[in-house]
Amino acid sequence: MQRHILKKKNHITIISGILIVIAYISKLGFGNINIFTWSLIISSAIGATPIAIQAYQSLKVKVVSIDVLVTIAVIGAFLISEFEESAIVTFLFLFGAYLEQRTLNKTRSAIKELTEMAPENALKQMENGEFEEIEVDEVDVGNILLVKTGAKVPVDGTVLTGEGHINEASITGESLPVSKNKDSQVYAGTILENGTIQIIANRVGEDTTFGKIIELIEEAQDSKSEAERFIDKFSKYYTPVVLVLAFIVWLFSQDIELAITILVLGCPGALVIGVPVSNVAGIGNGAKHGVLLKGSEVIGDFSKVNTIVFDKTGTLTIGNPKVTDKEIYADNVDEILSYLASVEKESDHPLAKSVVEYIGDTKAYAVEKTEVVKGGGIVAQVNGHRVAVGNVALIKQENVHLSEKTRADITKFEKNGNSLVLTSVDNELKVLMGIRDQIRPGVKENLQKLKKLGVKNLVVLSGDNQGTVDLVASELELTEAHGHMLPEDKSAYIKKLIDKGQIVAFVGDGVNDSPSLALAQIGIAMGNGTDVAIETSDVVLMNSDFSRLPHALGLTKSTAYNMRQNIIIAVGVVLVLLASVFFSEWMNMSIGMLIHEASILVVILNGMRLLRYKLK
Amino acid sequence: MQKATIQLETLTCPSCMQKIENGVKSLDGVDKESLSVSFNSSKVKLNFDDEKVSIKDIENTIDKLGYNVIKSQVKAL
């Protein structure tokens, strides 16, 4: 019976509201006080029933909840025949709860949408070789699964057969489909846009990358700052204290109306709900835009950041070096470039890859007597010629004569921030190439946005040579640039900044920057949602798009501001209500409940504004 | 031992968490240390000894307190 009544709470709210309307029509329209009074009595009784059941259930588990306060207040109102008060209070309380549920659902919708991207079913290969649809929870590691066009990949796994293109936006933020074939890794929650593949499950359920992201977001929602923990503790004792206070007031004044008004006014709703609502809406907005914020403490700290330190490669630059400058000191250009490409194909050095990529399709020569010179390059026999490919040191070692012009070219290339690849054929310099990592598109504009958001220092730390780092810094208008830095040098430098009183965020790829990510007040992993990045950082930019960073900073600033607004609204309302009960004539139980419920809705609606946040 | 994640209809007040926590904790066989109720995701997570208490008992306890259980996921630990 009790359960049935609780399940029909919304119907009860409507009936209670209709009875109140009937009561006022009969009084104001027809002057019928009898119908007015009885309608209010019935409305109170019907409305108070589910509240009283909840109060009883709360007391049974030793919790003095708001239902207890309202139930006592309604009983008190009944005792002094204030049926108008009791009916309006119960209706407002029920209707307020209904609206709270609706608006809170909206606030949490962003995160809900993300969790709904989780796969639910999988096609598993049975012992007879046929594929049958099962629930994703039933998939075990080692199972062979079939993924058809348009389906979600159910687990993290490896492609056994077939090929196709997968949209991995849910994991990496990259919206361009990625080609997959035998031995490619695939991730749960991604979508096979075309093709058909069979995969073997490597990680299932909560162990998948997607599962970890969801878990991280849910934990982030519940992680509390010190202020919130205080509010929680405070609210635990607050309600019983209000109950005692109301009793004391009644004891001394014998004024039941005053005592029950205090009970209603003392409900702590907006205060305990205001901060979590902002938090959830902020985290939800971030999740929707490829930004994972690990909780309200992180939001608070990140919003105060005034120094952002960047790793260079893969963060400010693409991490894919390209040939940007070249000089050729020969007439038989095609032949020389073919020699160079043939030698470079022997190497897996990143610079060699850039050279091969730059030269493209060309005649391939057999490469013989290959000799790798450590820290220098490669020397080999190609088509009967001695070909040396490497840096200036190797070329000097080969006794190659460098003319005035080539020396000037080398100086110019170095100034431009290039790494150099020189090629000599039979001890004559034939090719000089300058290779540079490219600045990520849009980085400069986004760094300007960070400055506008109040970041005073933008610092780049890199293992590369100082010239290269300086060039990147001047191109991007950074405030500081330091090269030749090992991971431990980077973290030492960050410590120095923190000791100076700066609030520092470090942005890296989350793989070799763990010490710096951990040391900075805010560690931001740019990247593709790898386990390491997710584990070690405070903020993960799932999207490799650099514009997520100013969005993340702007969002945390707005969220922190929104939390403060909600606390001010909540505390302000409580103070005004309590002051007015003692020092004004107009305050009563119904007005108190109306203001109380309105303040809860105001803080929820205020928090909801964050869902629509976009960096201007 | 089993691990359960119970999805509830939206929780609207932090004292709801306390009620559910106290109610579920009182059941014999529930690992009190593992019990967590999330206000924001409206999820209850806990480990329990299925020889002493069933997921149905836990769901009923929550239901009696006035909270609708949407779905439960149970896995062996």
Side-chain angles (χ1 to χ4, degrees):
Chain A
M1 181 64 182
Q2 283 184 12
R3 280 192 224 186
H4 183 73
I5 290 170
L6 291 179
K7 288 204 177 3
K8 296 284 177 207
K9 219 160 45 169
N10 290 345
H11 295 95
I12 288 169
T13 310
I14 295 166
I15 294 165
S16 160
I18 290 169
L19 284 165
I20 292 170
V21 172
I22 290 170
Y24 280 101
I25 289 173
S26 58
K27 181 186 174 182
L28 303 172
F30 307 101
N32 190 327
I33 298 301
N34 251 347
I35 294 180
F36 172 73
T37 307
W38 277 105
S39 297
L40 292 175
I41 290 172
I42 297 165
S43 170
S44 304
I46 290 173
T49 308
I51 305 171
I53 291 170
Q54 281 174 332
Y56 166 69
Q57 297 289 8
S58 295
L59 291 173
K60 249 176 53 175
V61 291
K62 302 185 185 70
V63 176
V64 181
S65 67
I66 182 169
D67 310 296
V68 176
L69 300 188
V70 174
T71 305
I72 295 169
V74 169
I75 292 168
F78 248 73
L79 288 176
I80 54 173
S81 304
E82 283 285 359
F83 305 122
E84 210 172 338
E85 296 271 323
S86 61
I88 290 172
V89 163
T90 49
F91 169 74
L92 285 176
F93 185 67
L94 290 171
F95 187 56
Y98 165 76
L99 289 179
E100 281 166 41
Q101 191 163 41
R102 290 289 301 264
T103 47
L104 279 171
N105 273 339
K106 278 231 165 30
T107 312
R108 295 163 182 169
S109 63
I111 291 169
K112 205 163 166 256
E113 278 165 24
L114 189 78
T115 55
E116 279 168 357
M117 285 171 77
E120 289 180 349
N121 304 310
L123 289 167
K124 178 186 161 184
Q125 190 171 44
M126 299 300 175
E127 282 174 14
N128 60 5
E130 296 291 309
F131 285 93
E132 271 181 36
E133 189 163 297
I134 58 166
E135 282 194 15
V136 79
D137 297 337
E138 295 170 34
V139 178
D140 292 318
V141 171
N143 285 169
I144 293 171
L145 308 169
L146 177 69
V147 187
K148 294 178 177 174
T149 302
K152 279 179 196 157
V153 177
V155 295
D156 285 2
T158 310
V159 177
L160 290 175
T161 60
E163 53 187 33
H165 286 85
I166 288 188
N167 181 331
E168 294 186 336
S170 60
I171 299 289
T172 63
E174 182 57 64
S175 53
L176 282 174
V178 185
S179 168
K180 300 283 177 180
N181 43 37
K182 191 173 171 6
D183 296 329
S184 298
Q185 295 302 303
V186 293
Y187 301 98
T190 59
I191 297 165
L192 183 63
E193 293 202 338
N194 58 43
T196 304
I197 52 174
Q198 277 184 32
I199 60 172
I200 183 161
N202 300 335
R203 294 193 294 186
V204 299
E206 288 173 359
D207 297 331
T208 63
T209 302
F210 186 74
K212 283 185 174 148
I213 290 167
I214 297 295
E215 201 173 356
L216 183 139
I217 291 173
E218 286 185 344
E219 277 173 14
Q221 289 185 91
D222 290 324
S223 82
K224 288 184 163 71
S225 63
E226 213 151 310
E228 282 174 275
R229 281 194 289 271
F230 171 76
I231 289 171
D232 274 3
K233 217 175 245 168
F234 166 78
S235 68
K236 223 178 208 171
Y237 299 106
Y238 182 74
T239 333
V241 165
V242 168
L243 195 60
V244 172
L245 178 72
F247 180 73
I248 292 169
V249 167
W250 172 75
L251 213 60
F252 283 98
S253 67
Q254 292 296 302
D255 185 343
I256 290 185
E257 196 167 354
L258 178 64
I260 58 178
T261 304
I262 288 171
L263 278 183
V264 170
L265 300 191
C267 297
L271 193 60
V272 289
I273 223 169
V275 174
V277 158
S278 305
N279 197 24
V280 168
I283 290 169
N285 175 304
K288 225 167 49 178
H289 290 92
V291 177
L292 299 187
L293 299 162
K294 289 192 183 176
S296 60
E297 196 85 54
V298 168
I299 289 172
D301 289 346
F302 192 12
S303 68
K304 297 187 203 108
V305 156
N306 56 17
T307 299
I308 301 184
V309 178
F310 298 92
D311 170 44
K312 182 179 76 71
T313 308
T315 303
L316 296 177
T317 61
I318 292 167
N320 180 15
K322 287 208 171 349
V323 174
T324 47
D325 298 318
K326 88 170 184 297
E327 285 290 346
I328 297 187
Y329 314 103
D331 298 329
N332 52 343
V333 176
D334 289 349
E335 194 177 349
I336 296 289
L337 289 180
S338 297
Y339 293 171
L340 171 57
S342 302
V343 172
E344 290 289 56
K345 275 177 187 161
E346 299 285 297
S347 165
D348 56 3
H349 193 282
L351 295 182
K353 284 188 174 147
S354 312
V355 170
V356 171
E357 191 183 317
Y358 175 76
I359 294 171
D361 283 341
T362 186
K363 187 175 175 182
Y365 286 94
V367 179
E368 294 163 329
K369 296 181 189 167
T370 305
E371 183 194 334
V372 176
V373 181
K374 208 166 176 237
I378 297 178
V379 181
Q381 287 288 120
V382 182
N383 198 24
H385 300 282
R386 181 177 172 87
V387 178
V389 180
N391 57 17
V392 177
L394 176 81
I395 295 300
K396 281 183 176 165
Q397 201 179 302
E398 286 285 297
N399 294 320
V400 173
H401 169 70
L402 295 176
S403 68
E404 198 78 11
K405 181 185 175 346
T406 53
R407 284 174 199 275
D409 288 342
I410 288 168
T411 308
K412 187 176 79 182
F413 277 32
E414 278 183 331
K415 244 192 196 143
N416 286 349
N418 286 303
S419 302
L420 302 184
V421 174
L422 297 84
T423 307
S424 70
V425 178
D426 298 330
N427 302 80
E428 276 186 25
L429 186 68
K430 298 291 183 187
V431 185
L432 170 65
M433 280 186 178
I435 297 173
R436 224 175 28 227
D437 201 352
Q438 310 293 298
I439 302 271
R440 277 170 172 262
V443 163
K444 194 171 176 177
E445 296 75 11
N446 287 305
L447 290 172
Q448 294 302 328
K449 285 180 187 170
L450 290 174
K451 283 181 183 172
K452 274 192 194 138
L453 286 164
V455 180
K456 288 186 176 60
N457 311 306
L458 295 168
V459 183
V460 59
L461 303 180
S462 172
D464 270 5
N465 65 61
Q466 191 64 44
T468 305
V469 180
D470 282 340
L471 192 91
V472 168
S474 69
E475 199 167 330
L476 296 176
E477 296 172 22
L478 303 176
T479 42
E480 279 180 59
H482 302 280
H484 300 294
M485 281 214 158
L486 298 168
E488 55 265 37
D489 300 328
K490 290 182 188 177
S491 43
Y493 191 82
I494 286 168
K495 191 171 182 320
K496 209 163 77 180
L497 288 173
I498 293 169
D499 290 344
K500 275 189 202 164
Q502 312 271 31
I503 298 170
V504 181
F506 178 80
V507 187
D509 57 13
V511 178
N512 55 4
D513 294 318
S514 302
S516 300
L517 282 173
L519 191 67
Q521 279 104 331
I522 293 291
I524 303 171
M526 284 263 315
N528 55 1
T530 56
D531 285 357
V532 182
I534 290 175
E535 298 295 327
T536 52
S537 56
D538 303 301
V539 178
V540 184
L541 304 181
M542 301 297 294
N543 207 320
S544 36
D545 173 3
F546 198 86
S547 72
R548 301 299 89 210
L549 186 57
H551 178 91
L553 180 59
L555 176 64
T556 55
K557 280 183 180 292
S558 292
T559 307
Y561 186 55
N562 196 283
M563 281 180 193
R564 285 197 293 275
Q565 285 173 337
N566 277 356
I567 290 172
I568 290 165
I569 292 167
V571 173
V573 164
V574 169
L575 291 177
V576 166
L577 288 177
L578 287 176
S580 57
V581 83
F582 290 110
F583 307 112
S584 81
E585 293 298 309
W586 55 267
M587 178 53 70
N588 63 27
M589 214 165 103
S590 313
I591 294 172
M593 181 55 84
L594 183 67
I595 295 172
H596 162 78
E597 285 297 342
S599 70
I600 291 178
L601 289 173
V602 165
V603 296
I604 295 175
L605 292 170
N606 188 41
M608 268 169 72
R609 290 188 309 125
L610 289 167
L611 291 174
R612 293 191 302 275
Y613 172 83
K614 265 204 177 85
L615 188 66
K616 288 179 185 73
Chain B
M1 284 296 268
Q2 305 265 309
K3 179 185 176 183
T5 304
I6 305 167
Q7 179 66 60
L8 308 176
E9 215 171 55
T10 306
L11 296 177
T12 53
C13 63
S15 71
C16 306
M17 291 159 57
Q18 224 186 321
K19 273 167 76 175
I20 295 165
E21 230 169 76
N22 291 6
V24 175
K25 259 183 194 167
S26 66
L27 294 169
D28 186 30
V30 168
D31 173 15
K32 294 170 181 59
E33 292 299 306
S34 67
L35 177 67
S36 71
V37 184
S38 161
F39 169 64
N40 292 311
S41 61
S42 304
K43 273 184 182 170
V44 182
K45 290 182 178 177
L46 72 153
N47 300 339
F48 65 97
D49 182 346
D50 51 333
E51 286 178 4
K52 290 181 179 170
V53 67
S54 71
I55 187 70
K56 268 275 160 276
D57 296 335
I58 298 166
E59 285 178 354
N60 281 338
T61 302
I62 294 170
D63 200 51
K64 263 190 203 161
L65 291 166
Y67 303 101
N68 288 337
V69 173
I70 293 172
K71 64 173 182 187
S72 299
Q73 277 184 326
V74 180
K75 275 185 186 166
L77 268 176

